[in-house]
Amino acid sequence: MKLKRFLSLALVFVMTFSIAGCNPAVTVEDLDVPTYEDAGEMMLRVDLPPNMSSREQMELYKDCGFNTIPLTEDFFSASDVEPYIKAMEVYEQKLKEFNDGIIEDEPTEPTKPKYIEALELCEELGIDVLIRPHSSYVEWYPDGHIGEPNYFEQFFSNFDFRDYPAVKGFMLVDEPSWGKVTDLANRYLDWFNNEYGGDRDGDGAIDYEVFVNHLGPGSTAWKDNYSKTKTYDEFINHYNDNFLSKLNSANKTLSYDGYYLRNDGVSNYVSSGWLLGNLKMRNYADKFGVDFGAYIQCFTGYSDLRDLTSYADFSFQVYNYLAFGAKRLSYYGYRDFPPESHLMEGGEPRQKWYWVQEVNELIKKIDGIIYNFDFEGLYDMQ
């Protein structure tokens, strides 16, 4: 049974002060410090811009402490799948004929498509992959379907990701609206459960994860023509009832982006909804019986979100989510945002990269310990 945990900075401060102040002779060796088993590794995911697929770039992100990346349709071209499969079939037949002495000239292996090279590179480097089968920029079309017309059918019907150990799951959509949750369920649920759900062969294979990120409870951008009068509570339960609860997987996460570090044009501030937002999303995760995850604000230049200019800007967010028991952390900071949003520039690390590396190194030292604890709640210490 996991231990219950109650995290309070005030309580931690008081305990530390008491030990150091009231009995200065006490050392770590004198304390009865419990030991814990390694209970798992946190998913530390970074969104990759389309041109960050070279070995050098991947190694830099790994050195920064990230262990998971999404591969989007920037890497996957549906038109590449069938021709490559057919070319490989011809190649394998010719190779057999060559080995049997039927033909004299050894055949040339077809050039691997970009997505296969990327998956093999991630496996070599020990980086997990979430397949993101939709555009980096535009995910939804006016008819409410995910990705390009027939993209799903063209690609996924011809490709088996189980052949690539680096693939751990799928990132199906980001910030869905009410109607698009319904579309998500209609389009992907049966496919996932039939093709990738659970341990189908009974051989101890991994349960693939389906990762969907949501807008937070303070947002109304999820509202559409189907949900103008709905509340956020109704929306998130709609997502669970129609999709999340029906997924045949032991690896489920409720993730959201809060982005609470703001600027009003005069000074920086932390949005007043940050504690309540985290508590609500964590409580939803508990209610649904899934892990809690969150996005780390990393970018600037959008609305009133401010730039991050110190290590503390990152550590504050990370410690905040750890205190609420997050097991999935994702960094978003590129695409159409200004260059100062990026972790790297021109293939080289920016200052943000080093701050994130420091935070990630700390997480990797403690994640296996904190996973022995359960989040209990948020308490008013007044």
Side-chain angles (χ1 to χ4, degrees):
M1 178 182 293
K2 287 189 176 182
L3 303 174
K4 291 291 184 182
R5 90 170 145 171
F6 165 53
L7 293 183
S8 166
L9 293 179
L11 182 58
V12 172
F13 176 80
V14 170
M15 292 175 64
T16 305
F17 181 81
S18 299
I19 293 174
C22 296
N23 192 350
V26 171
T27 65
V28 173
E29 289 74 16
D30 296 323
L31 299 175
D32 183 15
V33 180
T35 58
Y36 302 99
E37 64 178 15
D38 187 343
E41 181 183 37
M42 175 172 288
M43 184 189 83
L44 297 171
R45 189 179 68 82
V46 61
D47 282 338
L48 285 174
N51 61 347
M52 293 296 186
S53 59
S54 68
R55 172 181 292 272
E56 293 75 20
Q57 301 300 311
M58 291 286 197
E59 288 176 341
L60 276 172
Y61 278 108
K62 181 178 176 64
D63 290 344
C64 195
F66 294 108
N67 54 28
T68 307
I69 63 170
L71 289 184
T72 72
E73 67 180 43
D74 299 307
F75 293 88
F76 295 85
S77 172
S79 61
D80 288 343
V81 179
E82 190 171 356
Y84 177 71
I85 292 175
K86 291 182 177 179
M88 280 300 297
E89 291 174 350
V90 172
Y91 166 74
E92 290 170 354
Q93 177 61 35
K94 293 293 184 181
L95 183 63
K96 183 179 184 302
E97 293 175 358
F98 171 76
N99 291 332
D100 292 342
I102 299 176
I103 60 175
E104 295 183 358
D105 296 330
E106 182 175 358
T108 301
E109 184 174 353
T111 301
K112 293 179 180 178
K114 185 178 180 180
Y115 58 85
I116 292 183
E117 292 183 344
L119 290 174
E120 291 179 347
L121 175 59
C122 287
E123 180 183 357
E124 179 185 342
L125 296 177
I127 298 174
D128 293 340
V129 172
L130 295 180
I131 302 299
R132 181 173 176 168
H134 51 84
S135 169
S136 298
Y137 299 94
V138 180
E139 299 165 30
W140 300 99
Y141 280 71
D143 61 0
H145 291 294
I146 299 173
E148 298 177 1
N150 298 320
Y151 176 82
F152 174 83
E153 290 79 7
Q154 290 175 346
F155 187 80
F156 285 100
S157 62
N158 290 317
F159 196 73
D160 192 345
F161 288 104
R162 286 168 298 206
D163 293 336
Y164 299 91
V167 176
K168 296 299 187 290
F170 304 87
M171 186 177 179
L172 295 183
V173 68
D174 187 52
E175 301 178 346
S177 65
W178 181 286
K180 286 157 190 171
V181 166
T182 303
D183 190 59
L184 178 70
N186 291 340
R187 188 153 189 164
Y188 282 112
L189 187 59
D190 288 344
W191 161 78
F192 175 83
N193 287 340
N194 291 334
E195 298 297 328
Y196 293 93
D199 179 8
R200 299 191 311 151
D201 302 323
D203 60 357
I206 66 168
D207 275 5
Y208 287 90
E209 178 170 5
V210 173
F211 188 93
V212 176
N213 183 64
H214 290 276
L215 294 160
S219 172
T220 59
W222 54 270
K223 288 179 177 287
D224 55 22
N225 291 332
Y226 306 98
S227 57
K228 290 181 178 179
T229 63
K230 302 293 186 180
T231 65
Y232 189 84
D233 183 73
E234 290 175 305
F235 164 70
I236 208 70
N237 280 283
H238 166 68
Y239 166 70
N240 181 65
D241 294 343
N242 290 279
F243 185 72
L244 185 62
S245 65
K246 295 181 179 180
L247 285 171
N248 181 18
S249 173
N251 294 319
K252 301 181 184 181
T253 301
L254 184 67
S255 174
Y256 93 113
D257 46 49
Y259 302 155
Y260 297 113
L261 301 184
R262 305 299 181 104
N263 184 284
D264 59 9
V266 178
S267 59
N268 294 332
Y269 68 98
V270 179
S271 174
S272 60
W274 70 282
L275 276 178
L276 185 57
N278 288 336
L279 180 61
K280 284 184 176 180
M281 297 306 292
R282 173 63 210 222
N283 286 343
Y284 284 129
D286 287 344
K287 176 183 177 181
F288 303 152
V290 301
D291 289 336
F292 171 54
Y295 264 72
I296 303 299
Q297 178 181 333
C298 189
F299 57 87
T300 186
Y302 178 78
S303 185
D304 59 347
L305 299 181
R306 68 177 178 86
D307 193 14
L308 306 184
T309 58
S310 71
Y311 168 81
D313 287 338
F314 290 96
S315 61
F316 168 80
Q317 297 183 76
V318 169
Y319 296 158
N320 168 30
Y321 292 126
L322 290 182
F324 283 87
K327 292 188 177 180
R328 304 285 191 274
L329 291 180
S330 305
Y331 288 77
Y332 184 91
Y334 67 95
R335 304 190 193 280
D336 52 345
F337 295 106
E340 58 267 25
S341 297
H342 305 182
L343 292 181
M344 293 198 289
E345 181 180 23
E348 298 296 327
R350 296 174 57 85
Q351 178 59 58
K352 286 182 178 180
W353 185 95
Y354 295 100
W355 291 330
V356 171
Q357 181 190 48
E358 189 175 351
V359 174
N360 286 346
E361 285 179 351
L362 175 64
I363 294 175
K364 289 177 178 293
K365 291 178 180 178
I366 64 176
D367 56 0
I369 297 175
I370 62 177
Y371 281 1
N372 286 276
F373 298 86
D374 288 332
F375 175 79
E376 185 173 285
L378 181 66
Y379 294 87
D380 186 349
M381 299 298 293
Q382 294 182 355

